[in-house]
């Protein structure tokens, strides 16, 4: 299988007046094309830092990050970042929100706009395309945020707790929704979450970080191919097994 | 659906009626308060409890308004329209100059962290300094007249414009900026596509504050140095104990300030439609 992303001995330190904090220590992992990886760990263990490093928003103190063999030095067009809140711009219509990335990258070509129309239609946003975000529910807004991320055709999606701002009921549905869109578009994704069941229900593989300075404490390959979607997985027999295992490992860390 | 909307329960009808009645009461009380105030004022003058030499009276104000607009009497050589026009001109110009320059300075300060940190203590001091105290300095530098008055108005407005505009820009969710950066946005794109449209509501509240402040600027300026304008008439009226003139000018000022404020509120309504 093709490898899309690799982190080699990545370490990161934060500097402040009070001193330096070592957030990450010798992180090594790779991601296969089309794979869905989750990162869990105690709070403050540098989960978000890893995403920032991969997206190029932060520069690693040490080590190398390669996407498709190219070293990440600055923000790049291979990754698409999705935040905790949808961060839709209220003064732009849904369509204008979705085209934001193309505008920034000056790629508003006929072809790309057609591709976006396709996404809008395919994922049921057509009737809202010319509405403003406030007309949409929280779940729909997060779907728009995902389509906005997909609009620039990134190879790799970075999801930073994208469901944590939603209420539980919506969350389960949006989780299913986002998962199916990502699989449908054949994207690779890294999800940062503190919700173990969310991680299990979506991932092919889960990495657990240790306390600061974070190293990779555990790695789990979630073998639940027979349960296709996040909602189905939650009812799967093995779900309980994995939850128990990961939860106990996490307890030991904290 | 429509049928459902028409058939309300008695309870809901009562609720709606209650809201209406309350609204009407508030309105009538407001009007009543004004009329009561004017009647009391007039009565106090009529029964010689207050001296009209100092306090004028509603009827005298009406008479003065007639004198100003119908008979078009000259005040120190100019009809009232000229006085109004001059004050309005000073106020609007002061308002425009301070808004435009202030916004640009705010953008500059957002752009350069270094500059912002360097200038921060100066802005704090300028903000707390009563700008009227600079009046004599302004007159020394700009000379007597219009230029000095407009400078006064600009000085009074500009500092608050800079700090509120800057505050509006920096209150944007940092994740929105990160989102743009993760898409590869340049600093200029962050400004033009995110921060400027984001700050529009805040900008409009800055405009509202500035309207009030530029009136203050224009009138204080006229108190310091002027040959015409509403502030001049007020000051002139004070010197010659023409309280009717003073009070009437103040009434005119309130009406004009209210109209300008309403104008900005209308713009605000239009802009905020899609937010």
């Amino acid at each position: 299988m093709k490898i899309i992303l690799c982190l080699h001995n990545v370490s990161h330190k934060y500097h402040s007046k009070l001193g330096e904090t070592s957030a990450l220590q010798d992180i090594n992992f790779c991601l296969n094309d089309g794979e869905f990886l989750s990162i869990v760990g105690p709070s403050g263990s540098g989960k978000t830092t890893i995403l920032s490093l991969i997206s190029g928003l932060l520069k690693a103190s040490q080590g190398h990050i390669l996407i498709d063999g190219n070293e990440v030095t600055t923000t790049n067009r291979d990754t698409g970042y999705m935040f905790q809140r949808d961060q839709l711009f209220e003064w732009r219509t849904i369509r204008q929100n979705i085209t934001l990335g193309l505008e920034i990258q000056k790629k508003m070509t006929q072809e790309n706009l057609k591709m976006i129309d396709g996404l809008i239609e395919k994922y049921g946003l057509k009737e809202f395309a010319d509405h403003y975000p406030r007309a949409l529910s929280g779940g729909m807004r997060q779907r728009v945020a995902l389509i906005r991320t997909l609009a620039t055709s990134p190879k790799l999606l970075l999801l930073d707790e994208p469901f944590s701002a939603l209420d539980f009921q919506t969350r389960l549905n949006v989780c299913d929704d986002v998962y199916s869109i990502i699989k449908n578009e054949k994207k690779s994704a890294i999800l940062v979450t503190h919700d173990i069941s969310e991680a299990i229900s979506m991932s092919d593989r889960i990495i657990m970080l240790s306390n600061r300075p974070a190293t990779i404490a555990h790695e789990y390959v979630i073998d639940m191919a027979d349960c296709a979607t996040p909602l189905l997985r939650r009812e799967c027999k093995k779900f309980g097994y994995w939850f128990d295992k990961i939860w106990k490992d996490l307890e030991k860390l904290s | 659906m429509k049928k459902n909307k028409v058939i309300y329960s008695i309870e809901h009808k009562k609720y709606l009626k209650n809201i209406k009645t309350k609204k009407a009461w508030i309105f009538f009380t407001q009007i009543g308060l004004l009329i009561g105030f004017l009647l009391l004022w007039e009565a106090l003058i009529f029964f010689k409890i207050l001296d009209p030499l100092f306090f004028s009276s509603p009827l005298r104000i009406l008479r003065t308004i007639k004198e100003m607009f119908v008979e078009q009497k000259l005040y120190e050589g100019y009809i009232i329209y000229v006085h109004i026009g001059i004050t309005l001109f000073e106020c609007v110009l002061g308002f425009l100059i301070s808004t435009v320059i202030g916004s640009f300075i705010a953008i500059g300060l957002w752009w350069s962290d270094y500059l912002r940190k360097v200038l921060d203590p100066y802005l704090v001091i300028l903000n707390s300094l009563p700008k009227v105290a600079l009046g004599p300095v302004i007159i020394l530098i700009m000379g007597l007249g219009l230029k000095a008055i407009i400078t006064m108005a600009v000085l009074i407005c500009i500092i608050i414009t800079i700090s509120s505009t800057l505050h509006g820009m920096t209150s944007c969710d940092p994740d929105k900026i990160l989102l743009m950066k993760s898409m590869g946005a340049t600093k200029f794109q962050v400004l033009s596509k995110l921060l400027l449209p984001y700050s529009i509501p805040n900008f409009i509240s800055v405009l509202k504050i500035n309207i009030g402040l530029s009136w203050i600027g224009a009138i204080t300026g006229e108190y310091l140095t002027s040959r015409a304008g509403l502030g001049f008439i007020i000051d002139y009226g004070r010197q010659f104990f023409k309280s009717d003139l003073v009070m009437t000018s103040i009434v005119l000022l309130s009406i004009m300030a209210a109209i300008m404020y309403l104008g900005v509120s209308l713009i605000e309504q239009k802009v905020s439609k899609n937010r």
Side-chain angles (χ1 to χ4, degrees), chain A residues 118-133:
Chain A
L119 286 174
I120 288 176
E121 173 125 40
K122 194 155 138 202
Y123 297 115
L125 294 169
K126 199 173 177 194
E127 56 174 314
F128 304 111
D130 297 313
H131 286 66
Y132 289 89

Side-chain angles (χ1 to χ4, degrees), chain A residues 91, chain B residues 107 169 190-201 203 275:
Chain A
W91 57 90
Chain B
I107 291 172
M169 289 170 76
V190 172
L191 180 70
S192 64
K193 291 195 193 298
L194 172 60
L195 291 175
L196 291 187
Y198 171 83
S199 330
I200 285 175
F203 184 71
R275 277 163 194 278

Side-chain angles (χ1 to χ4, degrees), chain A residues 2-241:
Chain A
K2 198 184 149 208
I3 286 174
I4 186 166
L5 166 83
C6 263
L7 278 74
H8 295 295
N9 303 320
V10 170
S11 302
H12 192 70
K13 282 179 181 159
Y14 283 110
H15 299 277
S16 77
K17 266 190 201 162
L18 298 172
E20 54 179 9
T21 322
S22 196
L24 301 173
Q25 186 84 50
D26 281 329
I27 301 288
N28 286 291
F29 69 85
C30 287
L31 188 73
N32 291 322
D33 197 11
E35 192 178 13
F36 199 118
L37 175 84
S38 286
I39 302 176
V40 297
S43 51
S45 60
K47 302 187 286 282
T48 300
T49 308
I50 292 186
L51 293 193
S52 300
L53 292 174
I54 296 172
S55 69
L57 286 168
L58 280 177
K59 202 173 162 7
S61 310
Q62 268 170 43
H64 302 282
I65 299 172
L66 303 174
I67 296 178
D68 256 358
N70 302 314
E71 176 136 21
V72 174
T73 50
T74 171
T75 55
N76 52 76
R77 292 164 188 196
D78 296 329
T79 56
Y81 209 118
M82 203 170 152
F83 292 86
Q84 200 177 97
R85 295 180 195 286
D86 52 66
Q87 304 299 359
L88 297 180
F89 293 4
E90 300 294 331
W91 57 90
R92 286 174 161 249
T93 61
I94 299 305
R95 187 194 307 279
Q96 288 167 338
N97 264 293
I98 293 175
T99 55
L100 179 68
L102 291 180
E103 262 176 58
I104 289 172
Q105 301 175 4
K106 304 215 163 63
K107 293 199 292 195
M108 293 280 276
T109 59
Q110 213 63 39
E111 192 186 343
N112 281 333
L113 288 178
K114 231 181 190 170
M115 183 266 291
I116 282 186
D117 275 341
L119 286 174
I120 288 176
E121 173 125 40
K122 194 155 138 202
Y123 297 115
L125 294 169
K126 199 173 177 194
E127 56 174 314
F128 304 111
D130 297 313
H131 286 66
Y132 289 89
R134 70 197 154 93
L136 266 57
S137 66
M140 277 305 245
R141 290 174 65 112
Q142 207 49 291
R143 186 193 286 192
V144 175
L146 176 64
I147 305 299
R148 175 185 60 194
T149 316
L150 292 172
T152 50
S153 313
K155 294 171 188 159
L156 174 60
L157 298 179
L158 305 171
L159 315 173
D160 192 356
E161 303 202 19
F163 313 116
S164 59
L166 302 168
D167 64 82
F168 189 68
Q169 193 67 29
T170 320
R171 195 164 165 171
L172 292 185
N173 287 323
V174 175
C175 185
D176 223 42
D177 194 37
V178 165
Y179 178 85
S180 67
I181 295 174
I182 289 175
K183 284 291 163 192
N184 206 350
E185 299 294 321
K186 300 190 176 60
K187 299 288 179 191
S188 320
I190 300 179
L191 169 75
V192 157
T193 180
H194 57 255
D195 184 334
I196 300 172
S197 48
E198 193 173 283
I200 300 169
S201 69
M202 293 183 90
S203 323
D204 303 311
R205 190 153 54 107
I206 297 175
I207 281 174
M208 186 186 291
L209 296 184
S210 69
N211 281 308
R212 217 179 249 168
T215 53
I216 295 181
H218 301 278
E219 195 173 333
Y220 314 90
V221 176
I222 310 293
D223 48 348
M224 292 169 76
D226 44 329
C227 304
T229 71
L231 278 179
L232 287 175
R233 271 197 182 184
R234 285 176 187 266
E235 288 162 16
C236 233
K237 263 189 211 148
K238 269 201 163 162
F239 189 86
Y241 162 79

